[in-house]
Amino acid sequence: MQEYYIQLFSPHGLIRYHQPEIGRDKDTGGQVKYVLELLEALSHHPQVRKVDLFTRRIADKRVSETYNHEIETISSKARIVRIACGGQLYKPKESLWDNLDEFVDKVIRFIEKQDDYPDVVHGHYADGNYIAGEISKIFEIPFIATGHSLGLNKKSILLKDGLSEETINQKFNMVRRVSEEEKTLRQANLIIASTQHEIDTQYSAYRNKGQARFRIIPPGINTDVFYPFYRIGLPSFTVPLEQEQAMYRVNSEIERFLFAPGKPLILSIGRADKRKNFDTLIDCFGQDKELQSMANLAIFAGVRKDITQMPEDEQEILTRLLLLMDKYDLYGKMALPKKNDPSLEVPEIYRLAAQRKGVFVNATPGENFGLTIVEAAACGLPIVASPTGGPKEIIGNARNGMLVNVQDTREVADALKKIIADTTLWERYSANGIRAGQEDYSWEAHVKNYLNAIDDIYQPTAQLKETQELPFGKKLMKADLFFISDLDGTLVEGDDDSGLDQIKQWVDDHKNKVIFGIASGRNKELTRAALQQFRFPEPDILICSAGTEIYYTRNFLPDPGWESHINHQWKRKELVAALENYPGLHLQEPDAQWEYKLSYYVDERFKEGDLANLYKFLDDRKLRAKILLTDNRYLDILPVRAGKGNAVRYLSYKWQLPLDHFITAGNGGNDIDMLRGQTRGIVVSNHSPELESLKKSRHVYFAREQQAAGVMEGIRHYQDLQSLKNEKADTRNEK
């Protein structure tokens, strides 16, 4: 039996296992509950050797200090791992997109530190799917995605609410979100959907829907928590003190609103969201005197303390509910409690309503799934819900309620009265719901289907033979040495690649121990052409466009973290405009330009003093940039954080290998910052005059040979030094 280490990713929201604050705000709703219960359920399965849930680490006086704990241990097999990114304060999910690459990099370092590699990654929501997708590419492992809610659907709703497309994009980062959702559909090994309706409607607007591999696995419920209402009265059944107290609190909280609390209870639960359609339910109840005489109404609309301190959209919804309660004079007939504990009190709310022969209403039209429907059903409550979306599939399967137009108050009232008045019908719906909750919608059933799906897609990577290539992420982590060389003038010159075979043989002889990289002024396409032309070793890293791009493997998998890093203070348009008429500079051809590189030719009279003047010219205009001059002819302007040297330092930081374990080789001016510092530099004999200053450095070896032969000479030099160092260490140990 294959055992798996599974990593779950849900970076937004306030996530903790003990006393989770479900419903605290719009980012701590159903998704948080879902991932916490999935985490626990997976940990109980014998085929899961370990499961970690990764979320964002938060240190903010406005929230509990528990969200600042790096590790929260759930059991011997399950943990919540909190990753610091984007500062310490709690932020809404829409503002986190620019910080996700930092999250990815720190997950990589966490994996390296624990020296245990995941077998499967599973992203939740668009941001979690982005992270999981990046980790999947790095370690070449299966990627599972769950959307929960989708950007195009939300955009459609917001447009109908009157928001402009521009406002939606600014407020919700919608363009980025939808773009990542499209990529997820194309890249994920498996997309988990709750219902066929979700696939047919929510994903239908996406271009890449046809490339996605969907599997319907409904969310589960914890049957130890959501159990039938009658179980409490059985002689052999006992409840812990904590649960007894929760039962008492729930009963007291509801009864304080009601004149006749013993009547059947019409119940609805959800966060304060317009889509929950609570106002229609109040209209239905308030307009029907017969229904008021038959039952009470209770709505739990999230958690609130002071409405005036809540977000504007939630303020508006809750204020409207209170005004409707007043409009129909429902005092004594309707309860609108301010809070509930999701883990302890919500199950008791369902059971209390079932004990009073009530009905649960999910008034959301077109609900993707409707987890509250399954929870209420498992406790024994009959259901009234919409005939579209997830409720149609759940009630169609369970036969435990009625499907009505939830926006038609008359239809809703008629269904409620029929179920409450007909005891036989109520009992049948109750029994059917309990059976479905226990058998079809348990987490045990979900995890069984989940692991069957992983078995179907999983390609083992853990038992690779020594002679096989490791996935590039593992290889980068386990390597002893990074060897990164400039291309033109260093490894080859024109069509001359003499000496390159020796380097290729050396890299092949040290497979899985040495990382080979090329650092070139060429852009991605020109570098790709060079790989096709020459017999280079198989590259692990490609630094292109003078250190403005980092890719991995011959497939040119981008490192988005590097792009996010160098984008800081980069103002390309302003630079182009400022230098349009600068004396002595002429833009190179369009093929030489790149997103993060501006390339110019310089006049022959351009001297070192002119370079200083150019820096001052840009500085006076608050334009920060790095300027590289090569052969006193070619001038590149890069982001201040870019360059080959900074790229090497970034790789050292990301893959946690000290700089003195890097060998770098070059021949020109744009190689200087890669050669100096703590790396072991090699300068070939055919170098440009700009490198003469490096002869003073004890960390740079000047080869007697040219090009690749000179690079190989430098490698042997450093190997001899290391051998001598090892011999001295052995001698000291013997003494």
Side-chain angles (χ1 to χ4, degrees), residues 205-217:
Y206 287 82
R207 297 189 310 275
N208 292 324
K209 179 195 173 186
Q211 299 182 50
R213 294 165 284 276
F214 291 106
R215 189 144 176 170
I216 298 171
I217 310 179

Side-chain angles (χ1 to χ4, degrees), residues 150-394:
L150 297 176
L152 285 179
N153 183 58
K154 180 166 185 172
K155 180 180 177 180
S156 175
I157 292 169
L158 294 172
L159 287 171
K160 289 177 183 176
D161 287 344
L163 272 70
S164 69
E165 189 156 342
E166 182 180 0
T167 300
I168 293 169
N169 289 336
Q170 288 178 350
K171 187 173 180 180
F172 299 102
N173 227 322
M174 194 60 73
V175 172
R176 171 77 186 270
R177 175 178 172 180
V178 172
S179 173
E180 294 304 335
E181 287 171 339
E182 289 281 14
K183 284 201 292 188
T184 293
L185 288 171
R186 195 171 61 246
Q187 295 173 359
N189 298 84
L190 185 70
I191 307 282
I192 292 180
S194 300
T195 60
Q196 186 62 45
H197 173 269
E198 182 183 347
I199 299 172
D200 294 340
T201 60
Q202 303 298 303
Y203 285 99
S204 60
Y206 287 82
R207 297 189 310 275
N208 292 324
K209 179 195 173 186
Q211 299 182 50
R213 294 165 284 276
F214 291 106
R215 189 144 176 170
I216 298 171
I217 310 179
I221 58 167
N222 185 341
T223 53
D224 291 333
V225 173
F226 298 99
Y227 54 79
F229 69 96
Y230 53 71
R231 192 174 292 175
I232 294 173
L234 298 177
S236 60
F237 187 77
T238 59
V239 297
L241 177 62
E242 191 177 37
Q243 188 177 343
E244 283 186 7
Q245 292 172 333
M247 293 164 61
Y248 173 77
R249 287 195 302 272
V250 165
N251 197 54
S252 299
E253 181 68 16
I254 293 176
E255 285 194 357
R256 72 187 183 90
F257 285 91
L258 305 174
F259 294 146
K263 289 197 295 187
L265 190 65
I266 299 166
L267 175 66
S268 194
I269 295 179
R271 56 191 178 84
D273 187 319
K274 187 181 293 186
R275 288 174 293 177
K276 300 302 179 184
N277 201 25
F278 291 131
D279 50 354
T280 299
L281 181 56
I282 298 176
D283 283 332
C284 159
F285 187 72
Q287 294 166 9
D288 196 309
K289 297 297 183 183
E290 183 182 12
L291 185 57
Q292 291 177 39
S293 69
M294 296 172 67
N296 292 314
L297 173 64
I299 294 178
F300 286 80
V303 177
R304 69 184 190 276
K305 291 183 180 179
D306 181 352
I307 291 178
T308 63
Q309 302 302 312
M310 298 181 72
E312 186 176 337
D313 55 342
E314 295 180 32
Q315 279 190 47
E316 181 183 344
I317 291 162
L318 289 165
T319 301
R320 177 164 173 75
L321 298 186
L322 290 167
L323 289 173
L324 284 171
M325 184 178 178
D326 187 75
K327 173 185 175 180
Y328 295 113
D329 193 18
L330 296 177
Y331 301 103
K333 302 175 184 179
M334 174 181 166
L336 194 61
K338 297 182 71 168
K339 60 185 174 63
N340 59 82
D341 180 333
S343 58
L344 282 174
E345 295 180 358
V346 167
E348 301 308 331
I349 294 169
Y350 291 134
R351 281 190 281 270
L352 176 65
Q355 287 165 358
R356 295 180 182 174
K357 305 300 179 185
V359 180
F360 182 79
V361 181
N362 184 316
T364 306
E367 180 88 272
N368 271 346
F369 181 68
L371 188 60
T372 55
I373 293 175
V374 178
E375 293 174 346
C379 293
L381 270 176
I383 308 297
V384 170
S386 170
T388 59
K392 180 180 180 181
E393 294 184 36
I394 295 169

Side-chain angles (χ1 to χ4, degrees), residues 349-641:
I349 294 169
Y350 291 134
R351 281 190 281 270
L352 176 65
Q355 287 165 358
R356 295 180 182 174
K357 305 300 179 185
V359 180
F360 182 79
V361 181
N362 184 316
T364 306
E367 180 88 272
N368 271 346
F369 181 68
L371 188 60
T372 55
I373 293 175
V374 178
E375 293 174 346
C379 293
L381 270 176
I383 308 297
V384 170
S386 170
T388 59
K392 180 180 180 181
E393 294 184 36
I394 295 169
I395 295 173
N397 174 49
R399 302 186 181 280
N400 67 323
M402 298 179 68
L403 299 169
V404 301
N405 179 359
V406 291
Q407 293 176 308
D408 186 321
T409 58
R410 176 49 50 202
E411 281 196 40
V412 175
D414 288 346
L416 289 169
K417 288 187 288 189
K418 181 174 182 179
I419 295 171
I420 291 170
D422 189 336
T423 303
T424 302
L425 180 64
W426 190 97
E427 294 287 355
R428 184 168 77 248
Y429 284 163
S430 177
N432 288 348
I434 290 168
R435 187 181 307 109
Q438 295 288 321
E439 296 176 1
D440 300 329
Y441 296 104
S442 67
W443 275 115
E444 289 80 3
H446 179 98
V447 168
K448 179 181 178 182
N449 290 329
Y450 182 99
L451 287 165
N452 285 341
I454 292 176
D455 287 336
D456 290 343
I457 63 173
Y458 187 70
Q459 296 298 320
T461 58
Q463 293 105 5
L464 288 169
K465 296 178 182 177
E466 285 294 320
T467 55
Q468 291 179 296
E469 281 283 338
L470 289 170
F472 82 89
K474 286 187 180 180
K475 183 178 179 183
L476 287 162
M477 282 185 173
K478 291 181 174 294
D480 296 328
L481 180 71
F482 277 40
F483 163 50
I484 298 177
S485 176
D486 173 50
L487 176 56
D488 296 295
T490 303
L491 291 178
V492 296
E493 182 66 68
D495 293 330
D496 181 7
D497 64 352
S498 55
L500 194 58
D501 284 344
Q502 296 178 58
I503 292 177
K504 186 175 188 301
Q505 185 62 52
W506 178 77
V507 172
D508 287 344
D509 289 344
H510 297 82
K511 184 190 300 185
N512 292 336
K513 293 296 182 183
V514 170
I515 297 298
F516 170 62
I518 290 174
S520 175
R522 297 190 185 204
N523 64 31
K524 173 182 173 181
E525 296 309 319
L526 293 175
T527 305
R528 193 192 302 274
L531 292 180
Q532 295 171 350
Q533 179 181 357
F534 299 105
R535 299 184 304 279
F536 292 111
E538 193 67 25
D540 301 295
I541 294 171
L542 296 141
I543 301 171
C544 299
S545 298
T548 60
E549 303 159 55
I550 297 177
Y551 301 98
Y552 299 103
T553 79
R554 184 179 287 270
N555 296 323
F556 285 84
L557 300 174
D559 186 323
W562 175 243
E563 182 174 334
S564 297
H565 180 70
I566 66 173
N567 191 46
H568 179 69
Q569 295 186 336
W570 174 242
K571 299 177 180 179
R572 191 180 195 282
K573 290 181 180 178
E574 292 86 340
L575 284 163
V576 172
L579 296 173
E580 186 174 7
N581 297 311
Y582 192 88
L585 295 188
H586 312 283
L587 268 176
Q588 293 183 28
E589 296 76 15
D591 286 349
Q593 312 303 331
W594 213 244
E595 178 70 21
Y596 294 99
K597 179 172 78 77
L598 284 169
S599 294
Y600 293 85
Y601 296 114
V602 300
D603 291 346
E604 292 181 4
R605 299 184 301 277
F606 199 89
K607 304 298 181 186
E608 186 175 333
D610 296 314
L611 195 62
N613 291 335
L614 179 56
Y615 266 115
K616 184 179 185 305
F617 175 83
L618 296 179
D619 190 57
D620 289 344
R621 287 154 182 77
K622 294 183 170 54
L623 294 173
R624 297 196 65 204
K626 176 179 291 187
I627 305 172
L628 301 178
L629 181 64
T630 303
D631 294 334
N632 212 47
R633 182 183 175 192
Y634 307 105
L635 186 140
D636 292 323
I637 297 180
L638 315 175
V640 70
R641 290 183 174 180

